[in-house]
Every structure is written in C-alpha cells, then in structure tokens.
Amino acid sequence: MRMVVLSKPAPLDDHYASIKTCKPRISVFKGIPSINLRDPKAKTLIIQACQEFGFFKLLNHGVPMETIARLEAEALSFFNLPRSVKDKAGPPNPFGYGTKGIGPNGDVGWIEYLLINTDQNPEISRSAVKDYVMEVKAVAYEVVELMAEGLGIEQRDVWSKMLREESDWCLRLNHYPISRDLQALSGRKMIGFGEHTDPQIISLLKSNNTSGLQICLKDGTWVSVPPDHTSFFVTVGDALQVMTNGRLKSVRHRVMTNSLKPRISMIYFGGPPLSETIRPLPSLMAKGEESLYNEFTWREYKASAYKSRLGDYRLGLFEKASTTGH
C-alpha cells in the first residue's frame, strides 16, 4: 500500500493491524480560546483558558511566517524522501527518525516523525531549525511570564528562567500520511498519535491546515480542534500542573489521521533543566494549602514517563496518597 504526500509517494509499511481506530463521530469544537498575545488582558485570558482547557490558540505571536514556512518546507522535503533514506536517520535515540512506534513500550500510530535539536539534525537545515526555535522560544518565554503574572506570582520569570537556562527542550516534526485506503476498510479513523498529556512545562504546536488534533474536555468529551496554519496552539504540560498545584491542568490530546490531506505539525516542547526540582511554587500556595504532589526532579519524571504507555496517567505515581483516585 502506498501513501501519497502531495505529489510524491511516501509509503509507510502496511502492517497497520496494531494501530487503533476510533469512530469518527467527534464534533468540531468552536469554543477553543483564541488569545491575542498583544491584548492587555492576555495574562488573565491565558489563565482562564489554562484552568478550563489547559490549551488555547495564540494569535499575533510575532513569529515570521517565512521562518515557519521554511521549516515546514524542510520537513516536507525530508518526509518525501524514500523510506530507505529516511531510515538512515533513525531510530530516534533520543533524536532521529521514527515511524509508527511511539516510545519504547508498544504504542503505535499512523505517523512518521523526526525528533531534532539544533546540534543533532543533519537531515534538516540547521539554520532553519535554529531560526524557528529561537523565535518560538521567545514566544514561550513571554507566554509563561504572562502566566506567572496572571497567577499573581511576584517573580515574573520563575518559569521562563527554567526554559532559558539549560532547558531540556525538543522539537518534534510529525507527518501523518493520508489514510484513505485504511479507513475505507472499516469506516473508522486511524489514530495517528494516541491520547496523552505532555510531560514538560509548555508545548507550542504549529501545523498545516489539515484537521486531526483533538482534545479531551473536563467532562471526558473528545472534541476536534479546527486547524489554523497562521496560529500556534499552546498546551499546558504536567510539570506546570504540578508547579501550580493543579491550578493549571495539562490537557489530554491525540491526533487522528485525515482521509483527504496529510498533516504536518511542528511542536516545541519546553522542559526545565534535568536537575530542576518540580514542586508547587511556595509563592503560589495559599496559607495552609498542602501540596498535591511529592516533589521530584525533571530527570526523574522524564525517566518515569519514558517507562509508561502514552495513555497512562503519569502524574499518578507522584501524587500524595490523599489525592489518589484522580
């Protein structure tokens, strides 16, 4: 079976029986908060969005479209290469090319991807990655500083410092090929990337105009996020949930394949330094408020997450006994 990306074939192997499917009865959700980064009320709107959804669309972010387009073109060029050439860039350890397999514990999806950073990415233009990451990091710093302000934290740079100083960051380029032939077999949607939360502090996602991203609302309902190739989607990570003692929630999300168009996404994951202790900020805690979590280092949490399955509730291992039953 050959999967077509634009005008070029980019096949994944046809052993897809282990990839899960879902009934495609998911409504398009029009209630995703859209926040203008230059809005004077942005800090308040961001906190409201992160409390309710753990997720929002960011407008007027300031990242040049030519910087975005250049990296997206580089990604498409790479994913359009013959499979034998792409395989030479893998497997990801931790950076490199992967296909179908997501992590070491048996999770699979209809996906191929490239995990890169500015020092280890011979497959993609280093300058394209460097320029993109520099711009997106600046946006991430501003967003987490607005979060700190919105929560009334006096130290505005409490989280941006973690993202600046020896940050454990990663850039992920995802390609979800068309799955028209597979869906014709059963009328169901193939899962491209299974449900999960992001373990880091914050994630900034940029995609083409192909739908597929879904988030889980508080009541457990899955909804489809309308694509917007001009904006970024910001996701609260597990580390930020802990550091706010649950005030901001990491959001469960997943990606479904599209039967008409391939999806390309580029995600910056902003993590703290590996040695950073993750615990609720004392300055945020109310008098008498107890931490919901046992403290841990980012290295410990990252190692724990690496041993888990995508859909596992990873924070459960670090919750204090009185808070179990999440």
Side-chain angles (χ1 to χ4, degrees), residues 1-5 8-12 110 177-181:
M1 177 175 295
R2 300 182 71 83
M3 310 306 295
V4 178
V5 180
K8 299 181 181 180
L12 300 182
W110 194 247
I178 297 170
S179 61
R180 182 188 302 116
D181 294 339

Side-chain angles (χ1 to χ4, degrees), residues 212-223:
L213 177 62
Q214 298 177 354
I215 65 169
C216 188
L217 303 181
K218 282 183 175 181
D219 64 1
T221 301
W222 283 94
V223 294

Side-chain angles (χ1 to χ4, degrees), residues 53-237:
F53 300 103
F55 181 86
F56 62 92
K57 182 164 73 171
L58 188 66
L59 313 176
N60 202 13
H61 46 75
V63 179
M65 290 306 296
E66 56 267 28
T67 301
I68 295 170
R70 182 183 177 206
L71 183 58
E72 188 171 289
E74 287 277 341
L76 279 169
S77 294
F78 173 78
F79 290 126
N80 280 328
L81 291 172
R83 175 68 184 274
S84 59
V85 177
K86 291 183 288 189
D87 281 342
K88 293 177 182 178
N93 186 33
F95 303 104
Y97 172 74
T99 177
K100 284 182 54 189
I102 303 170
N105 302 311
D107 290 295
V108 293
W110 194 247
I111 185 177
E112 58 179 342
Y113 57 90
L114 193 60
L115 289 166
I116 57 180
N117 67 15
T118 48
D119 299 318
Q120 293 178 301
N121 54 290
E123 300 77 26
I124 300 286
S125 163
R126 292 191 179 191
S127 63
V129 171
K130 184 177 180 180
D131 291 348
Y132 180 84
V133 170
M134 180 181 67
E135 295 283 354
V136 174
K137 279 185 174 182
V139 175
Y141 303 156
E142 189 167 1
V143 168
V144 295
E145 288 178 358
L146 287 170
M147 287 177 175
E149 283 188 15
L151 288 169
I153 298 171
E154 187 173 340
Q155 187 184 349
R156 186 176 190 265
D157 66 350
V158 62
W159 292 315
S160 61
K161 280 177 61 177
M162 295 180 191
L163 298 182
R164 293 176 192 268
E165 300 171 1
E166 300 181 16
S167 168
D168 182 35
W169 68 272
C170 179
L171 182 69
R172 184 182 185 106
L173 307 181
N174 290 331
H175 172 227
Y176 302 94
I178 297 170
S179 61
R180 182 188 302 116
D181 294 339
L182 301 182
Q183 290 174 39
L185 297 176
S186 60
R188 295 165 69 91
K189 290 272 190 179
M190 289 290 277
I191 288 183
F193 205 111
E195 66 175 89
H196 63 287
T197 59
D198 294 339
Q200 294 86 355
I201 295 174
I202 191 173
S203 308
L204 272 69
L205 178 147
K206 175 73 185 62
S207 75
N208 62 357
N209 244 358
T210 301
S211 62
L213 177 62
Q214 298 177 354
I215 65 169
C216 188
L217 303 181
K218 282 183 175 181
D219 64 1
T221 301
W222 283 94
V223 294
S224 180
V225 178
D228 182 348
H229 74 285
T230 65
S231 303
F232 281 89
F233 290 95
V234 180
T235 302
V236 171

